[in-house]
Structures are given as C-alpha cells and as structure tokens.
C-alpha cells in the first residue's frame, strides 16, 4: 500500500515518490531491503544484527533525538554522493551537502515515525543538463531497549542527460534577473542586490501636486525576470495604502513593458492583520490585497513573517512565499544568551505556534531544554486586556517573540508579566519594528533589556534615538537574496525554510 496521500505536502515535493511498500529496482536498495527483511524480529531488525552484517553499499545512522540529528555509524562512503565527504561518527548536520542532509533527515524521521521501510525517488540536478535519478531506501532499526532509534539506508544513482530543448527560447530561470527597490526600501534593496552580486536597476518615482504618483522603470525589462523590493509599512508622508498603490502600478508598468515574470518582494505586507471577520460585515483585507496583486499581473509574492501564514497562503492564487526570520533571530540569540537558562514566550495565543517553533530551534542549538510561556490577550477598540500568564520563566532570560511591534502595548505588558513571574532579563524579538504612536514611550517604561528587530522596514532616526542602547537591528538581506536566487534558478525553497540563509544555525 502506498501512503503517499498521507504524507505531508513538503515531503511530497521533496521526493517525487515516497512509498512504504517498497519495491526497489536498484541492486543496492534491493539488497538492503532483503537484508532488513531477513534480519527482522518483531517490528524491525535490531541495530546490532544489521550493522554486524552490513555488506556492500548500505549505510546505517543512529538517531540523536536531543539534537534532532542522526549520526553515521557505518557506510560513510556509500552515502557520500548525497552528503559529500563525511566520516563515520559525524552527524548529518555536519555534512558538506546540506540539501542532501535535509533530505536524509526528513526521510529518516518519516521511516521512524511510520515504523516501516520507505523508498523514495527524486532527481538530483548536477552540472548543466546532467541529472541523476536517485532511489533511496530507509528502514527503521530497533535499539537494545526495543525502541526504534536507528535507520538502515541504501541508494542507487542512475545518471542521465536531459535532452536539449527543442526551441530556442530561454528556459525558465535563464532570463536575466532585474532588481528594483521602491521608496524607503531602497537601502534594503541595495543590500539584497549586493548579496546577489547585482546593481539595483534604476527607476523614476514622481509625486504630483495632488499627491498622485508615477513610477516607471528606466531600463528595458522585456523578457526579464523582475523582482521589486517594497515593504508596505506606513510612514510619515507615505501610508501603507500609498505604497501598495505605487507597487501595484509599478508591477502593471513592468507587465505592460513585457517583463517575463514579476515578483513582488514585500518583506512587510500591509493589511495582513485583518485576515478574518471578527465583527458582522467585516472586510477580509488580506484577500482583497491578494486580489489586487493578481489582477495587476504579479506572478509571485514574497514576504517575511506573514502575520498569519495560513491566511496569507490561502488568500493568494499566485505563488506566495512566506519566509521567516527565525534562523536570523536564532543566530543572534545563540551568541547573546550563552549558558544562562532561557524561556521563549508568546505575547498572545495567536503567536504561540511561531514561538514554539522558535523555542524548539533554540533548544536544538543550545542542546539543553528551553522553557516556554504565553500570555492571554484581547484587543477591542485599541484597548488590550487579558491578564492570564502561563509559563516557566522564573530565573530565566526570556525572549518574547512576535511578528511585529506596532504601539508596543502587546510587548510591554508581556514583558511586565515575565518580570512579575521572576524572569531575570527580558529581550524582545519582533521581525517588523513599526513603532507607531508612542511605541517608544510604552517600551521605555516597561522592564525590557533589549529590543531586537530586523530591517524589513526602515526605522526612523527619531525612534532609533529614543530607543538608543536597547535597539538591535538584524539584517534580512541574505535571506531575501537566497530566496530570490532560488526562485530565479528553480532551487529549493523548502530547504531555505528549513535551514535558513547561509551561516544560520
Ligand atoms: C497581533 O496579533 C500581532 O501579532 C502583534 O502582537 C500586534 O500587532 C502588536 O501590536 P502592538 O504593538 O500595537 O500591541
């Protein structure tokens, strides 16, 4: 029976075929499966029996659950085509080929979760038109205590060359890439361009007496793969709605001028918080914004830490990519927090999932338990209420994680609650530092040691001055540049989401 239908979509994308009733074709995978079946006792063979008799080309890994990792016990040479040069005793996370390591880890997790051998097929793109079909088997093994905690693997690689395209037209990904950045996103756009080894393409922005705008490219865009960086936060003299309009009209102009593809890169997306009806006859603004992008002819949209990922993905019928800054924050806090006990807190129940993923990520990095907590929150007519706090923060440095800081009220009250429950230090982590109204005052008065944001939106000089000494801004240019490079060349976005940008833990 194939359980492909029960498999999570990202695994389906990662492996062209994933089957738990494996019938391998290759010699190595066939041999390994036969060996697994003949040594099987109960649910799975014992690790010791299989490893003692592992011949030819198989390999075996033991799970390291506390690190969400696997350690290679035998067969480093056999698995090298997928992982690069690895030594026995090394962990998957240390393999030179991170993409191969991610594939193996997901497959091993799946085989141990299901308790059956799993066979997958996928295509490895090598140089130019050279490709290789990979057949990969993973079968669970039992440790001395009977628990499934190791995996037997084997693989076959068949190399083939993709036939040359019949027509002259450049295949997807071969068009030249052009990057524009509008308004106050210019500085971020320049950093992204530098990461990509490009220069920003020039454009003209004009504002007329009645405040209407005109934006046009100043280079030829016909048949180009175009990316437009424009964060959509409101700022003095330029509301989120103004910026949205400007971006939409620019996309329209690019389409009219014959661009092959246009991707809107809006690290902060406006109107994302109104993603459902909370009162009768309420609008669902997230969906209307999506319809505007679709109607004007955008091909894709990229954002970072969408307020509600499910709502964002459901709203768009064009390709929508929700990146997150978790790896960027994790890299910072891994150095910042050192050996002290840590807790991650969500300042409201809506952000609990985001905070939990971050907590797990920190736990993997620190290889020690990281506690959690969350706070009740209700907002009505701008007034925030809800006093219930749950969590183990006493004696710990607390990271309060949220997608954004607007008036600062949410973070300030969560910080007070953490301190009241015994937190030693309170550090805020929010992807988008909007700092509206008197946010700086609200945050200055609260017991907050540090406010860590990213540069998805530009911070005004006034805000930076008022929060001086406590504000840290992390860059998202590498994340955006890697996403753009992968979108342009057809690389794996799943892998980027899993591992974060270069250098992230
Ligand atoms: C709300 O659900 C968001 O995740 C943020 O918690 C909220 O928008 C922050 O707003 P403020 O800073 O005004 O409390």
């Amino acid at each position: 029976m194939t359980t492909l239908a029960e498999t999570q979509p990202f695994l389906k994308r990662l492996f062209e075929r994933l089957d738990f009733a494996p019938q391998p074709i290759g010699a190595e995978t066939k041999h390994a499966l036969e060996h697994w079946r003949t040594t099987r006792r109960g649910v799975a063979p014992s690790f010791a029996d299989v490893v003692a008799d592992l011949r030819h080309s198989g390999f075996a890994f033991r799970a390291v659950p506390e690190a969400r990792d696997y350690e290679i016990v035998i067969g480093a040479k056999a698995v090298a085509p997928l992982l690069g040069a690895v030594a026995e005793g090394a962990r998957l996370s240390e393999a030179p080929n991170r993409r191969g390591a991610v594939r193996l880890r997901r497959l091993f997790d799946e085989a141990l979760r299901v308790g059956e051998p799993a066979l997958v097929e996928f295509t490895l793109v090598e140089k130019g038109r050279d490709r290789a079909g990979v057949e990969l088997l993973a079968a669970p093994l039992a440790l001395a205590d009977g628990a499934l905690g190791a995996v037997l693997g084997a693989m076959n690689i068949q190399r083939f060359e993709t036939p040359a395209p019949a027509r002259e037209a450049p295949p997807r990904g071969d068009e030249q890439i052009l990057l524009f950045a509008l308004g106050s996103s210019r500085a971020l756009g320049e950093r992204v361009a530098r990461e990509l080894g490009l220069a920003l393409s020039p454009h003209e922005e004009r504002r007329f007496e009645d405040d209407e705008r005109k934006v046009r490219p100043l280079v030829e865009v016909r048949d180009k793969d175009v990316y437009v960086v424009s964060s959509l936060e409101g700022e003095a003299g330029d509301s989120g709605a103004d910026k949205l309009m400007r971006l939409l009209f620019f996309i329209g102009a690019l389409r009219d001028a014959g661009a092959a593809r246009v991707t809107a890169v809006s690290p902060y997306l406006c109107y994302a918080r109104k993603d459902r009806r909370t009162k009768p006859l309420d609008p669902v603004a997230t969906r209307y914004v999506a319809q505007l992008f679709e109607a004007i002819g955008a091909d894709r949209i990229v954002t970072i830490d969408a307020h509600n990922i499910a709502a964002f993905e459901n709203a768009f019928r064009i390709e929508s990519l929700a990146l997150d800054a978790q790896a960027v924050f994790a890299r910072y806090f891994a150095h910042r927090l050192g050996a002290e006990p840590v807790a991650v807190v969500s300042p409201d129940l809506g952000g609990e999932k985001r905070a939990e993923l971050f907590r797990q990520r920190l736990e993997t990095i620190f290889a020690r338990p990281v506690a959690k907590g969350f706070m009740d929150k209700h907002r009505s007519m701008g007034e925030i209420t809800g006093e219930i706090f749950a969590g183990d923060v006493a004696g710990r440095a607390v990271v309060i994680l949220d997608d954004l800081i607007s008036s600062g009220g949410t973070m300030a009250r969560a910080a007070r609650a953490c301190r009241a429950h015994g937190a030693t230090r309170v550090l805020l982590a929010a992807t988008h530092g909007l700092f509206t109204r008197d946010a700086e005052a609200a945050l200055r008065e609260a017991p907050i040691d540090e406010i860590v944001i990213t540069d998805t939106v530009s911070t005004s000089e006034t805000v930076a001055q008022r929060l001086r000494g406590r504000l840290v801004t992390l860059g998202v240019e590498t994340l955006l540049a890697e996403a753009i490079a992968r979108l342009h060349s057809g690389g794996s976005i799943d892998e980027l989401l899993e591992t974060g940008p270069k250098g992230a833990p």
Side-chain angles (χ1 to χ4, degrees):
M1 179 199 74
T2 176
T3 52
L4 194 60
E6 295 163 23
T7 304
Q8 295 163 355
F10 74 88
L11 281 178
K12 282 194 222 166
R13 286 200 298 274
L14 201 57
F15 304 118
E16 282 143 25
R17 188 175 150 78
L18 170 55
D19 206 321
F20 296 99
Q23 291 178 356
I25 299 168
E28 285 82 6
T29 40
K30 256 186 181 165
H31 172 80
L33 184 62
E34 212 173 282
H35 182 42
W36 186 87
R37 285 193 175 129
T38 50
T39 26
R40 181 178 193 171
R41 281 188 271 134
V43 175
S46 91
F47 178 67
D49 287 354
V50 167
V51 169
D53 195 24
L54 193 65
R55 286 164 292 138
H56 307 306
S57 48
F59 45 88
F61 280 75
R62 193 177 10 230
V64 189
E66 63 281 8
R68 285 181 65 217
D69 209 343
Y70 291 85
E71 174 190 303
I72 182 159
V73 180
I74 190 164
K77 217 165 152 192
V79 79
L82 197 57
L83 295 184
V86 279
E88 272 142 31
R91 290 191 179 180
L92 269 184
S93 55
E94 294 160 359
N97 183 344
R98 295 176 79 185
R99 189 170 182 193
V102 168
R103 278 193 202 271
L104 266 191
R105 183 164 68 69
R106 286 183 169 170
L107 179 61
F108 290 174
D109 287 348
E110 202 64 4
L112 289 179
R113 183 181 71 82
V114 175
E116 292 286 341
L119 186 75
V120 296
E121 288 169 14
F122 56 90
T123 306
L124 271 186
V125 182
E126 301 184 320
K127 281 210 190 97
R129 300 212 309 275
D130 282 346
R131 282 157 196 270
V134 180
E135 185 183 67
L136 180 62
L137 178 94
L141 299 175
L143 298 178
D145 62 1
L148 296 182
V151 184
L152 165 70
M155 72 176 171
N156 292 94
I157 297 191
Q158 194 198 352
R159 291 175 207 285
F160 53 88
E161 190 181 290
T162 312
R167 56 192 186 89
E168 290 284 290
R172 183 186 159 108
D174 278 8
E175 305 98 353
Q176 195 195 336
I177 194 167
L178 289 185
L179 185 70
F180 294 90
L182 306 186
S184 56
S185 294
R186 183 172 184 89
L188 175 60
E190 273 167 356
R191 291 193 289 277
V192 174
R194 225 176 355 259
E195 287 287 317
L196 286 166
L198 301 171
L200 275 185
S201 293
H203 71 282
E204 180 194 25
E205 290 189 30
R206 284 187 62 196
R207 189 184 285 222
F208 299 103
E209 298 68 30
D210 58 0
D211 226 22
E212 287 187 357
R213 326 279 171 101
K214 181 182 111 173
V215 198
R216 65 177 178 129
L218 293 176
V219 284
E220 188 54 66
V221 299
R222 183 167 303 283
D223 294 334
K224 304 287 194 302
D225 185 17
V226 182
Y227 296 79
V228 186
V229 180
S230 177
S231 242
L232 300 178
E233 79 284 10
E235 61 183 287
D238 236 356
S239 69
D242 288 337
K243 290 185 179 182
L244 175 63
M245 225 27 143
R246 179 179 57 192
L247 174 59
L248 289 170
F249 288 0
F250 190 57
I251 293 171
L254 292 167
R255 285 255 77 122
D256 285 349
R261 266 193 314 284
V262 182
T263 302
V265 181
S266 292
Y268 175 73
L269 187 62
C270 59
Y271 293 104
R273 280 181 281 177
K274 193 64 196 136
D275 57 13
R276 69 201 163 95
R277 294 197 176 94
T278 47
K279 295 213 167 79
L281 309 180
D282 256 1
V284 186
T286 315
R287 183 157 53 80
Y288 309 151
V289 168
Q291 285 171 329
L292 290 170
F293 276 103
E294 287 162 9
I296 206 73
D299 294 279
R300 289 183 296 221
I301 180 149
V302 177
T303 193
I304 302 183
D305 280 311
H307 175 65
N308 174 341
I309 292 189
F312 169 75
E313 289 179 341
N314 281 321
F316 285 88
R317 286 167 303 169
I318 55 172
E319 193 180 343
S320 57
L321 174 57
L323 301 171
D324 66 56
Q326 294 230 337
V328 176
F329 281 126
R331 181 167 42 196
Y332 175 78
F333 285 110
H335 296 293
R336 187 80 180 82
L337 294 171
E340 56 190 316
V342 177
V344 173
V345 166
S346 172
D348 55 32
L349 293 177
E352 200 275 331
K353 176 85 182 156
R354 180 185 297 117
E356 172 57 15
L357 289 174
F358 189 61
R359 189 195 68 78
Q360 287 173 12
R361 195 183 273 262
L362 283 189
E363 212 165 58
T364 305
I365 295 169
F366 288 137
R368 63 173 195 264
V370 170
K372 70 189 278 184
F374 45 86
M375 178 110 200
D376 188 22
K377 180 179 108 180
H378 305 280
R379 194 194 293 264
S380 184
M381 315 291 282
E383 189 72 18
I384 304 177
T385 52
E387 295 309 316
I388 302 169
F389 178 88
D392 174 17
V393 297
R396 295 174 183 276
V398 172
V399 178
I400 308 179
L401 183 80
D402 208 349
D403 57 335
L404 62 90
I405 296 175
S406 181
S407 70
T410 302
M411 284 295 209
R413 62 196 283 283
R416 276 189 210 98
C418 288
R419 270 302 171 90
H421 286 80
T424 51
R425 291 204 288 157
V426 173
L427 304 100
L428 310 186
T431 308
H432 315 292
L434 302 182
F435 302 116
T436 57
R437 286 197 268 160
D438 282 334
E440 306 93 82
L443 296 168
R444 268 205 319 258
E445 284 158 19
I448 294 165
D449 297 276
E450 196 168 274
I451 303 164
V452 187
I453 56 169
T454 75
D455 58 359
T456 53
V457 305
S458 50
T459 309
S460 77
E461 211 25 63
T462 323
V463 171
Q465 278 301 325
R466 289 189 186 148
L467 294 177
R468 201 180 33 191
R470 281 202 278 177
L471 190 66
V472 175
T473 306
L474 308 177
V476 291
E477 65 274 10
T478 316
L479 177 65
L480 289 174
E482 275 198 44
I484 290 172
R486 286 166 192 247
L487 287 172
H488 176 65
S489 63
S492 164
I493 294 295
D494 280 339
E495 188 194 44
L496 175 63
L497 293 174
E498 169 93 6
T499 58
K502 278 179 292 200

